[in-house]
Amino acid sequence: LDALLHRGPPNGDVTAGLSQLRYRVVFSGGVPSSPEGLSELRIYVWLVLLGASPVSTDRYLDLVHQGASPAHDKIRDDTFRTLATDPLFRRRVTENSLTRVLNAAAWRLLDAHEARVNGWLSPPTMSLAGSPQHTTMTTTTTTTPAAAASTQSSVGYVQGMNVLAAPFLYAARSEAQAFVAFERLITSECPGYVRGSMDGVHRGLALVDASLGVVDARLHAHLMERGLKAELYAFASVLTLCACTPPLPEVLRLWDFLFAYGAHLNILCIVAQLVLIRDQLMASSSPYQILRSFPPLQANNIVAVAVSFADKIPAHLYRQIVLHAK
């Protein structure tokens, strides 16, 4: 794995190289790491799998120097309680570090939103050299001051982004690395999760219910008879790609799989967690008490069960899973 990252794909074949990287990361030994989940390679593996281009640290610092974003107060309401009971995270990541990354991401999301509503051909992007690329302006519609104020309060941060950013800061070797990976995830893999309406999360919850109905009709019926739709117990698991469920080293291993084959597969990973505690849920007259707090993650077991579901999901439903977070 180390040689593949340093030398690049054999014969320059990027497609074959990515396939090899995915297989090695998930099915052939995984990313070498300590019992605490720390690894010198993981953040680089994630950056490659996410397709995140190198960015100058100065570009991240430019965003930090902009100071508090319009979402700063909401961010500070959440950062102090992020993975608050996880000693591994608390030892390695400071609240100030998390606050800086979230404010920088909020500025980027706000910039991108303004680019869309103002009709720019493309939003300002991060260049490899670290300076914003200039864009050509077209004839545009303009926003009123009242609309702009409303936009600033609703764009840039939603509750849960703090937990979604936390594993990146734990795994990365710098804040800038963590920011680049986090921004790539929320703008490319799951932008629907961080829009103000969180429409991607709600679609994902409906797909948890639909997928469970396909792979385990009896368990699905048992939960539905008790009014237990996924929106009651799986909201955080969908939004945070299961980062809300400890232990953190298992979250990192699960994310190895999700970034290798697509973050959308988190839907099947949530269903897999339900199936793994099927006997408990079926035997309980009040399964919500069990689902209020999911059992500790066991990434290898979850991945194995989730992969076994892939062939059972109808093509039209699988397509919805792939696209739900966009």
Side-chain angles (χ1 to χ4, degrees):
L1 184 61
D2 186 66
L4 181 62
L5 288 172
H6 279 87
R7 299 173 188 170
N11 303 317
D13 188 337
V14 175
T15 300
L18 283 172
S19 295
Q20 184 179 359
L21 179 61
R22 292 184 181 107
Y23 183 81
R24 285 179 179 272
V25 164
V26 178
F27 300 112
S28 182
V31 178
S33 58
S34 70
E36 294 79 23
L38 298 176
S39 167
E40 293 185 357
L41 299 180
R42 176 169 277 119
I43 189 61
Y44 299 106
V45 170
W46 286 0
L47 289 166
V48 171
L49 294 174
L50 288 169
S53 300
V55 173
S56 168
T57 300
D58 287 341
R59 180 59 185 131
Y60 171 66
L61 292 176
D62 288 344
L63 292 167
V64 171
H65 290 155
Q66 289 187 47
S69 72
H72 179 73
D73 289 343
K74 290 195 292 184
I75 289 170
R76 288 307 302 267
D77 285 343
D78 289 340
T79 51
F80 75 93
R81 55 189 172 204
T82 303
L83 305 188
T85 61
D86 192 310
L88 297 177
F89 180 76
R90 285 300 181 186
R91 283 201 300 265
R92 184 168 172 84
V93 180
T94 67
E95 183 182 351
N96 286 340
S97 180
L98 180 60
T99 301
R100 284 191 293 268
V101 166
L102 291 172
N103 272 293
W107 280 121
R108 291 289 298 147
L109 292 175
L110 185 60
D111 288 345
H113 177 80
E114 290 179 346
R116 287 191 297 272
V117 299
N118 287 323
W120 296 359
L121 293 179
S122 61
T125 58
M126 290 187 175
S127 69
L128 297 186
S131 59
Q133 296 172 348
H134 295 288
T135 56
T136 303
M137 297 294 290
T138 64
T139 54
T140 68
T141 57
T142 58
T143 54
T144 65
S150 176
T151 292
Q152 288 191 346
S153 66
S154 62
V155 174
Y157 181 79
V158 297
Q159 191 174 43
M161 283 174 62
N162 55 315
V163 179
L164 200 55
F168 289 113
L169 280 163
Y170 185 80
R173 304 180 76 177
S174 71
E175 277 184 34
Q177 276 186 332
F179 168 76
V180 170
F182 175 58
E183 191 213 20
R184 178 67 178 179
L185 176 72
I186 62 176
T187 58
S188 179
E189 292 292 321
C190 54
Y193 286 3
V194 299
R195 285 192 285 266
S197 61
M198 305 175 84
D199 50 326
V201 178
H202 294 290
R203 287 193 295 267
L205 291 165
L207 289 166
V208 170
D209 287 330
S211 299
L212 180 61
V214 170
V215 302
D216 195 329
R218 286 189 61 198
L219 177 56
H220 176 263
H222 180 70
L223 296 180
M224 291 301 107
E225 287 168 3
R226 289 154 180 80
L228 287 179
K229 292 186 176 182
E231 63 188 14
L232 295 178
Y233 60 81
F235 190 94
S237 295
V238 172
L239 172 59
T240 68
L241 304 182
C242 292
C244 58
T245 305
L248 185 54
E250 292 297 309
V251 172
L252 305 182
R253 295 184 183 97
L254 184 63
W255 279 23
D256 292 342
F257 167 69
L258 295 179
F259 296 160
Y261 292 101
H264 60 275
L265 290 171
N266 183 53
I267 299 301
L268 297 186
C269 288
I270 295 170
V271 175
Q273 291 175 74
L274 298 174
V275 171
L276 285 169
I277 57 172
R278 181 184 195 279
D279 292 345
Q280 293 175 252
L281 293 171
M282 292 295 293
S284 174
S285 60
S286 181
Y288 180 64
Q289 298 303 317
I290 299 172
L291 294 174
R292 287 179 63 184
S293 179
F294 275 38
L297 287 181
Q298 296 179 329
N300 289 341
N301 292 343
I302 292 169
V303 169
V305 174
V307 169
S308 75
F309 293 157
D311 290 339
K312 301 177 183 178
I313 303 295
H316 73 279
L317 182 58
Y318 193 83
R319 178 170 175 78
Q320 291 179 52
I321 292 172
V322 171
L323 298 176
H324 80 276
K326 302 299 186 182

